[in-house]
Amino acid sequence: MATKKKQAKKADAAVKVALLGFGTVGSSVARVLAAQKFAGIELTHIFNRNVGRKRASDAAKAVSGSVKWTENVDEILRSDVDVVVELTGGLTPTESWIRKALSSGKSVVTANKQLIAYRGTGLARLAAQHGVYLVHGAAVAGGVPVIPGMLQGLGGDRVTRLSGILNGTCNYILSRMESGADYATVLADAQQLGYAEADPSADVDGYDARAKLCILSRIAMRAELDPDAVPTQTIATVEAVDFAYAKELNCTIRQISRAQLDGAVVHARVAPMLVPLASPLAWSHGTQNMVVTSGEFGGDVVFSGHGAGGEPTAVAVVSDLLAVAQGCRSVELPVRKRAVTSDFMAPHYLRFVVDDKPGIVSAISGALAKVGANIDSLLQRRGYPKHKLPFVITTEPSLTSTIEKAMVSIGKMDCMLEKPLCLQILVPEDKAE
Amino acid sequence: MATKKKQAKKADAAVKVALLGFGTVGSSVARVLAAQKFAGIELTHIFNRNVGRKRASDAAKAVSGSVKWTENVDEILRSDVDVVVELTGGLTPTESWIRKALSSGKSVVTANKQLIAYRGTGLARLAAQHGVYLVHGAAVAGGVPVIPGMLQGLGGDRVTRLSGILNGTCNYILSRMESGADYATVLADAQQLGYAEADPSADVDGYDARAKLCILSRIAMRAELDPDAVPTQTIATVEAVDFAYAKELNCTIRQISRAQLDGAVVHARVAPMLVPLASPLAWSHGTQNMVVTSGEFGGDVVFSGHGAGGEPTAVAVVSDLLAVAQGCRSVELPVRKRAVTSDFMAPHYLRFVVDDKPGIVSAISGALAKVGANIDSLLQRRGYPKHKLPFVITTEPSLTSTIEKAMVSIGKMDCMLEKPLCLQILVPEDKAE
């Protein structure tokens, strides 16, 4: 694509920027812009609902008196701003605002992962038609430059696999559980600290990470996935006992988003998984994000850092703004739609909580044998009551669908006090089938 | 800078590319280009000394029959190629070739770290004058997209500190020594495996890493350093016993390249240092490279992966070629010349080998007290002979120059059988003074 972009023509005139949204990230963007005073970038408008309150807030002190505050987004869309920075999130009405902005010749910088995951391809086409930019480096992993790094630095490779810790809330919860806390307590702490929403579902059930995984798949593997086709599994059913058993297996547990290109399909999944302590993915603690890509020529590359928070995300937004202001396009490579399969060939961790009596292991191993899955180990820690006994079976590499089939029948056994938990075990040699 | 670049104007015509150098990296670039068949890039010329031999090699099989092979670099510089990929290395005569290429309107993609570290600013100016590109993503950390990631993704931050493992040869040697091998054996192995040159000085004495540190300082901290002003310390004096003592301190030893912006000066140093096992820098093994940046707004960001080798480096070269072919400029920010100081405020690890007799510790601690350095710990492992006893003193944070002053007088003591070893201990809270 060699369309001439509008900003590139403007030479030395400052690019006029409007912020949509003056929350944590928006006010951080204003602060970073005020602190850095980059030549060629001028913040001219801020849109927010209830704008009077925002304007009176401490955060507004970093904003120049010349900036126009408004509750009317159309005022911005009709104005002469060159770049709209969208930080309001969601699909509706945001998508229509962005379409209007692009159609009226304004470039858009956005941190909106859902919008880019679901509508990114169409919006990029619209931007190209109007000769403007649509940039979204802040949509994945906040301050970690994984999107620009991939776009400009991995284009020459053929990336076939990526695994990431893409949701800081889940990583905070699971890394605190690793140190002994239980899920409910840590979730409540995370909510109090502002890491988790009152309704934590988007984070803990994997929808947030799934959108990010789809964005990364498009950039790194040039594979467009339907986000709704990527299976997710909640972290809410992981318990303290699972960390104890994981440790015996030299592993910890993290919410992993993984995708693997395999001919015309992509294996993809967002779920809590066992991660070997030797894997870089086990290094990330707290709200850190991490992405590991595996390329045919360049091998494994790791990116990590602060994936969320106002200022790290603002770094990504302002870096994108600099690129737009200076007329720096990104490398574009052909992207193909790819069907998603949820299946992976992997060893699995199966945790059961039973009212213990003779014959249970025999029944479970029978059900696994019936689907052709081999048991690799059986772990039973001391100190749990027999009437509510948690124990673990790990399998040799098997298809997740095969194991899940056995788990349905095992889950119906009378002795089962809880729905059994089934987690993939990540191994570096993992191959999708 | 809003100069229109030549390639951007060419729309759909393929960009003609010449390779200077068909060694490990050059042949990998040819192979990656042949495997990926990117639209808009056409390899047309290959230059190498003794080109007949190269042309007859197995590596040449990936090269299309239409490519012109030559031993005459002027033939390429006079031709209509659009991009020269320089993989020959060194300053002379390479610099003159690159100047000619840029002056005749050809863009240059290079992996030449010495050239960019010493002449990068002048060459970038020349490229800008002629409206062409000079891109060097492969000059640091090979396949790890640290340069494009920083350029496009950290421009919005104010990076004040960076630490890296920038030389794969040293990392290979030190991580094998960590597992018990001794320096001379591992160096010989590294030479046999092709990781180290017959004269290993550029690697083990830190000159290679120093050039890379200067390139990263320019991009991440916008600080131009004179490479010759950055002190280096060889890894050749690190011994097996140092890894044993480091382990007692919960550390390992790595060749670390570090720079820290401090007002108008930059603290910089390339040396073997003690790295806490909890630091990401301790994770990298074998020939891996790693860079950790610390930004005022975005916090710490880690990049890691394969820093050397034909194919990882080729990924960086081909990614740069894609950017040039598609007319994608990089973000440019003002760079300032900065004076270098070698001083850091850090705890230090001091290892002595003595012919043991009463009064040695008292004499050493007296010399340290005289310069105002406080001892933090004294370590003396069992099992060494008294007439050749290695023991260690660690200091509380002190200026390296202060410690080195004491080390000069300590080194003159009669009991010293070897020159004492002085290493900085890296701590996350490290502040330059």
Side-chain angles (χ1 to χ4, degrees), chain B residues 213-264:
Chain B
L213 179 67
C214 292
I215 295 172
L216 293 183
S217 295
R218 193 185 298 157
I219 295 172
M221 306 198 301
R222 303 156 208 169
E224 188 176 346
L225 312 181
D226 171 10
D228 294 330
V230 176
T232 55
Q233 181 181 347
T234 185
I235 66 162
T237 52
V238 175
E239 298 179 12
V241 65
D242 297 309
F243 282 93
Y245 279 119
K247 201 172 169 188
E248 288 193 19
L249 296 161
N250 287 318
C251 287
T252 186
I253 301 171
R254 293 286 184 267
Q255 186 205 48
I256 300 293
S257 304
R258 61 187 298 213
Q260 196 161 330
L261 187 64
D262 181 17

Side-chain angles (χ1 to χ4, degrees), chain B residues 155-220:
Chain B
D157 207 348
R158 196 182 267 152
V159 173
T160 54
R161 201 158 40 129
L162 60 95
S163 324
I165 289 178
L166 301 180
N167 182 276
T169 308
C170 288
N171 210 57
Y172 173 81
I173 292 173
L174 294 172
S175 60
R176 281 220 27 215
M177 287 179 74
E178 184 183 334
S179 312
D182 72 73
Y183 178 78
T185 311
V186 182
L187 175 59
D189 285 357
Q191 285 166 327
Q192 191 141 25
L193 288 163
Y195 295 163
E197 308 283 330
D199 174 1
S201 174
D203 292 322
V204 301
D205 296 337
Y207 308 124
D208 170 87
R210 178 170 76 174
K212 295 169 181 171
L213 179 67
C214 292
I215 295 172
L216 293 183
S217 295
R218 193 185 298 157
I219 295 172

Side-chain angles (χ1 to χ4, degrees), chain A residues 1-2 4 8 11 31-32 35-36 38 143-145 148-150 152-158 222 283 290 296-306 311-312 315-316 318-320 322-323 326-333, chain B residues 1-2 4 8 11 31-32 35-36 38 143-145 148-150 152-158 222 283 290 296-306 311-312 315-316 318-320 322-323 326-333:
Chain A
M1 208 196 66
K4 276 191 208 149
R31 194 161 51 249
V32 170
Q36 298 260 58
F38 293 110
V144 190
M150 285 176 170
Q152 304 301 106
L154 293 181
D157 207 350
R158 197 181 265 153
R222 304 156 208 170
W283 304 335
M290 183 176 281
E296 185 179 330
F297 302 106
D300 285 7
V301 171
V302 180
F303 303 84
S304 90
H306 296 282
E311 294 199 335
V315 166
V318 174
S319 299
D320 280 353
L322 283 166
Q326 297 192 5
C328 305
R329 296 192 296 112
S330 298
V331 168
E332 288 178 28
L333 291 165
Chain B
M1 208 196 67
K4 276 189 208 155
R31 194 159 55 248
V32 170
Q36 297 260 60
F38 293 110
V144 190
M150 284 175 170
Q152 305 300 107
L154 293 181
D157 207 348
R158 196 182 267 152
R222 303 156 208 169
W283 303 336
M290 182 176 283
E296 185 180 330
F297 302 106
D300 285 6
V301 170
V302 179
F303 303 83
S304 89
H306 297 281
E311 295 199 335
V315 165
V318 174
S319 299
D320 280 353
L322 283 166
Q326 297 192 6
C328 305
R329 295 192 298 112
S330 298
V331 168
E332 288 178 29
L333 291 166

